[in-house]
PDB file of all heavy atoms in Angstrom:
ATOM      1  N   TYR O  38     -41.520  96.653 126.608  1.00  0.00           N
ATOM      2  CA  TYR O  38     -41.274  97.549 125.488  1.00  0.00           C
ATOM      3  C   TYR O  38     -42.385  97.358 124.464  1.00  0.00           C
ATOM      4  O   TYR O  38     -43.059  96.329 124.442  1.00  0.00           O
ATOM      5  CB  TYR O  38     -39.932  97.239 124.803  1.00  0.00           C
ATOM      6  CG  TYR O  38     -38.704  97.457 125.643  1.00  0.00           C
ATOM      7  CD1 TYR O  38     -38.232  96.468 126.494  1.00  0.00           C
ATOM      8  CD2 TYR O  38     -38.001  98.662 125.574  1.00  0.00           C
ATOM      9  CE1 TYR O  38     -37.091  96.657 127.256  1.00  0.00           C
ATOM     10  CE2 TYR O  38     -36.854  98.861 126.337  1.00  0.00           C
ATOM     11  CZ  TYR O  38     -36.408  97.852 127.177  1.00  0.00           C
ATOM     12  OH  TYR O  38     -35.272  98.043 127.928  1.00  0.00           O
ATOM     13  N   GLN O  40     -43.041  97.734 120.188  1.00  0.00           N
ATOM     14  CA  GLN O  40     -42.394  97.903 118.889  1.00  0.00           C
ATOM     15  C   GLN O  40     -43.460  98.102 117.828  1.00  0.00           C
ATOM     16  O   GLN O  40     -44.283  97.222 117.581  1.00  0.00           O
ATOM     17  CB  GLN O  40     -41.534  96.693 118.544  1.00  0.00           C
ATOM     18  CG  GLN O  40     -40.727  96.858 117.263  1.00  0.00           C
ATOM     19  CD  GLN O  40     -39.801  95.690 116.995  1.00  0.00           C
ATOM     20  OE1 GLN O  40     -40.032  94.570 117.450  1.00  0.00           O
ATOM     21  NE2 GLN O  40     -38.718  95.936 116.279  1.00  0.00           N
ATOM     22  N   TYR O  51     -40.750  99.392 133.892  1.00  0.00           N
ATOM     23  CA  TYR O  51     -39.619  98.620 134.403  1.00  0.00           C
ATOM     24  C   TYR O  51     -39.856  98.287 135.869  1.00  0.00           C
ATOM     25  O   TYR O  51     -40.187  99.171 136.663  1.00  0.00           O
ATOM     26  CB  TYR O  51     -38.371  99.471 134.188  1.00  0.00           C
ATOM     27  CG  TYR O  51     -37.172  99.243 135.058  1.00  0.00           C
ATOM     28  CD1 TYR O  51     -36.671  97.976 135.285  1.00  0.00           C
ATOM     29  CD2 TYR O  51     -36.502 100.328 135.613  1.00  0.00           C
ATOM     30  CE1 TYR O  51     -35.544  97.794 136.070  1.00  0.00           C
ATOM     31  CE2 TYR O  51     -35.380 100.159 136.391  1.00  0.00           C
ATOM     32  CZ  TYR O  51     -34.890  98.897 136.616  1.00  0.00           C
ATOM     33  OH  TYR O  51     -33.770  98.726 137.377  1.00  0.00           O
ATOM     34  N   ASP O  59     -40.865 101.782 137.551  1.00  0.00           N
ATOM     35  CA  ASP O  59     -40.627 102.997 136.783  1.00  0.00           C
ATOM     36  C   ASP O  59     -41.633 103.010 135.637  1.00  0.00           C
ATOM     37  O   ASP O  59     -41.487 102.268 134.671  1.00  0.00           O
ATOM     38  CB  ASP O  59     -39.197 102.987 136.246  1.00  0.00           C
ATOM     39  CG  ASP O  59     -38.884 104.189 135.362  1.00  0.00           C
ATOM     40  OD1 ASP O  59     -39.802 104.982 135.070  1.00  0.00           O
ATOM     41  OD2 ASP O  59     -37.728 104.319 134.944  1.00  0.00           O
ATOM     42  N   SER O  61     -42.365 105.610 133.683  1.00  0.00           N
ATOM     43  CA  SER O  61     -42.167 106.830 132.914  1.00  0.00           C
ATOM     44  C   SER O  61     -42.409 106.664 131.412  1.00  0.00           C
ATOM     45  O   SER O  61     -42.629 107.643 130.718  1.00  0.00           O
ATOM     46  CB  SER O  61     -40.764 107.380 133.154  1.00  0.00           C
ATOM     47  OG  SER O  61     -39.792 106.425 132.778  1.00  0.00           O
ATOM     48  N   SER O 101     -30.158  94.616 138.358  1.00  0.00           N
ATOM     49  CA  SER O 101     -30.340  95.913 137.715  1.00  0.00           C
ATOM     50  C   SER O 101     -29.354  96.886 138.316  1.00  0.00           C
ATOM     51  O   SER O 101     -29.683  98.023 138.649  1.00  0.00           O
ATOM     52  CB  SER O 101     -31.771  96.414 137.884  1.00  0.00           C
ATOM     53  OG  SER O 101     -31.964  97.582 137.111  1.00  0.00           O
ATOM     54  N   GLN O 108     -30.276  92.438 129.006  1.00  0.00           N
ATOM     55  CA  GLN O 108     -31.701  92.111 129.011  1.00  0.00           C
ATOM     56  C   GLN O 108     -31.972  91.038 127.966  1.00  0.00           C
ATOM     57  O   GLN O 108     -31.518  91.135 126.827  1.00  0.00           O
ATOM     58  CB  GLN O 108     -32.520  93.370 128.718  1.00  0.00           C
ATOM     59  CG  GLN O 108     -32.361  94.429 129.810  1.00  0.00           C
ATOM     60  CD  GLN O 108     -33.107  95.701 129.529  1.00  0.00           C
ATOM     61  OE1 GLN O 108     -34.112  95.711 128.818  1.00  0.00           O
ATOM     62  NE2 GLN O 108     -32.647  96.797 130.110  1.00  0.00           N
TER      63      GLN O 108
ATOM     64  N   TYR F 131     -21.761 103.596 130.653  1.00  0.00           N
ATOM     65  CA  TYR F 131     -22.846 103.124 129.800  1.00  0.00           C
ATOM     66  C   TYR F 131     -22.479 101.773 129.199  1.00  0.00           C
ATOM     67  O   TYR F 131     -21.306 101.383 129.163  1.00  0.00           O
ATOM     68  CB  TYR F 131     -23.182 104.119 128.680  1.00  0.00           C
ATOM     69  CG  TYR F 131     -21.993 104.570 127.866  1.00  0.00           C
ATOM     70  CD1 TYR F 131     -21.589 103.854 126.740  1.00  0.00           C
ATOM     71  CD2 TYR F 131     -21.286 105.707 128.231  1.00  0.00           C
ATOM     72  CE1 TYR F 131     -20.494 104.258 126.011  1.00  0.00           C
ATOM     73  CE2 TYR F 131     -20.185 106.118 127.494  1.00  0.00           C
ATOM     74  CZ  TYR F 131     -19.792 105.401 126.389  1.00  0.00           C
ATOM     75  OH  TYR F 131     -18.707 105.815 125.657  1.00  0.00           O
ATOM     76  N   TYR F 136     -28.555  93.572 119.235  1.00  0.00           N
ATOM     77  CA  TYR F 136     -29.555  92.515 119.202  1.00  0.00           C
ATOM     78  C   TYR F 136     -29.890  92.198 117.751  1.00  0.00           C
ATOM     79  O   TYR F 136     -29.880  93.074 116.895  1.00  0.00           O
ATOM     80  CB  TYR F 136     -30.839  92.947 119.909  1.00  0.00           C
ATOM     81  CG  TYR F 136     -30.754  93.005 121.416  1.00  0.00           C
ATOM     82  CD1 TYR F 136     -30.283  94.147 122.056  1.00  0.00           C
ATOM     83  CD2 TYR F 136     -31.139  91.918 122.198  1.00  0.00           C
ATOM     84  CE1 TYR F 136     -30.206  94.203 123.446  1.00  0.00           C
ATOM     85  CE2 TYR F 136     -31.072  91.962 123.580  1.00  0.00           C
ATOM     86  CZ  TYR F 136     -30.601  93.109 124.197  1.00  0.00           C
ATOM     87  OH  TYR F 136     -30.521  93.157 125.569  1.00  0.00           O
ATOM     88  N   GLN F 138     -32.922  90.571 115.325  1.00  0.00           N
ATOM     89  CA  GLN F 138     -34.341  90.244 115.293  1.00  0.00           C
ATOM     90  C   GLN F 138     -34.684  89.608 113.952  1.00  0.00           C
ATOM     91  O   GLN F 138     -34.896  90.294 112.955  1.00  0.00           O
ATOM     92  CB  GLN F 138     -35.210  91.486 115.530  1.00  0.00           C
ATOM     93  CG  GLN F 138     -36.683  91.161 115.713  1.00  0.00           C
ATOM     94  CD  GLN F 138     -37.525  92.377 116.045  1.00  0.00           C
ATOM     95  OE1 GLN F 138     -37.363  93.441 115.448  1.00  0.00           O
ATOM     96  NE2 GLN F 138     -38.437  92.241 117.006  1.00  0.00           N
ATOM     97  N   ARG F 194     -27.586 101.487 127.347  1.00  0.00           N
ATOM     98  CA  ARG F 194     -28.150 101.682 128.670  1.00  0.00           C
ATOM     99  C   ARG F 194     -27.151 102.493 129.476  1.00  0.00           C
ATOM    100  O   ARG F 194     -25.961 102.180 129.477  1.00  0.00           O
ATOM    101  CB  ARG F 194     -28.402 100.360 129.367  1.00  0.00           C
ATOM    102  CG  ARG F 194     -28.945 100.547 130.777  1.00  0.00           C
ATOM    103  CD  ARG F 194     -29.223  99.256 131.458  1.00  0.00           C
ATOM    104  NE  ARG F 194     -29.688  99.503 132.813  1.00  0.00           N
ATOM    105  CZ  ARG F 194     -30.159  98.586 133.614  1.00  0.00           C
ATOM    106  NH1 ARG F 194     -30.230  97.335 133.208  1.00  0.00           N
ATOM    107  NH2 ARG F 194     -30.560  98.899 134.828  1.00  0.00           N
ATOM    108  N   GLN F 202     -32.977 105.314 133.501  1.00  0.00           N
ATOM    109  CA  GLN F 202     -34.125 104.647 134.080  1.00  0.00           C
ATOM    110  C   GLN F 202     -33.912 103.150 134.123  1.00  0.00           C
ATOM    111  O   GLN F 202     -34.741 102.440 134.668  1.00  0.00           O
ATOM    112  CB  GLN F 202     -35.370 104.974 133.252  1.00  0.00           C
ATOM    113  CG  GLN F 202     -35.649 106.464 133.171  1.00  0.00           C
ATOM    114  CD  GLN F 202     -36.409 106.818 131.907  1.00  0.00           C
ATOM    115  OE1 GLN F 202     -36.063 106.382 130.829  1.00  0.00           O
ATOM    116  NE2 GLN F 202     -37.444 107.609 132.040  1.00  0.00           N
ATOM    117  N   ASN F 204     -33.793 101.331 131.394  1.00  0.00           N
ATOM    118  CA  ASN F 204     -34.233 100.734 130.151  1.00  0.00           C
ATOM    119  C   ASN F 204     -33.191 100.938 129.052  1.00  0.00           C
ATOM    120  O   ASN F 204     -32.297 101.760 129.164  1.00  0.00           O
ATOM    121  CB  ASN F 204     -35.545 101.364 129.702  1.00  0.00           C
ATOM    122  CG  ASN F 204     -35.453 102.864 129.580  1.00  0.00           C
ATOM    123  OD1 ASN F 204     -35.423 103.559 130.592  1.00  0.00           O
ATOM    124  ND2 ASN F 204     -35.395 103.376 128.354  1.00  0.00           N
ATOM    125  N   LEU F 205     -33.327 100.172 127.996  1.00  0.00           N
ATOM    126  CA  LEU F 205     -32.481 100.316 126.819  1.00  0.00           C
ATOM    127  C   LEU F 205     -33.062 101.384 125.893  1.00  0.00           C
ATOM    128  O   LEU F 205     -34.282 101.493 125.739  1.00  0.00           O
ATOM    129  CB  LEU F 205     -32.399  98.993 126.061  1.00  0.00           C
ATOM    130  CG  LEU F 205     -31.648  97.857 126.759  1.00  0.00           C
ATOM    131  CD1 LEU F 205     -31.892  96.536 126.034  1.00  0.00           C
ATOM    132  CD2 LEU F 205     -30.161  98.157 126.815  1.00  0.00           C
TER     133      LEU F 205
END
Side-chain angles (χ1 to χ4, degrees):
Chain O
Y38 296 86
Q40 185 176 25
Y51 156 48
D59 177 354
S61 59
S101 187
Q108 296 178 26
Chain F
Y131 52 89
Y136 287 86
Q138 189 176 43
R194 178 179 178 172
Q202 302 153 313
N204 55 286
L205 292 168

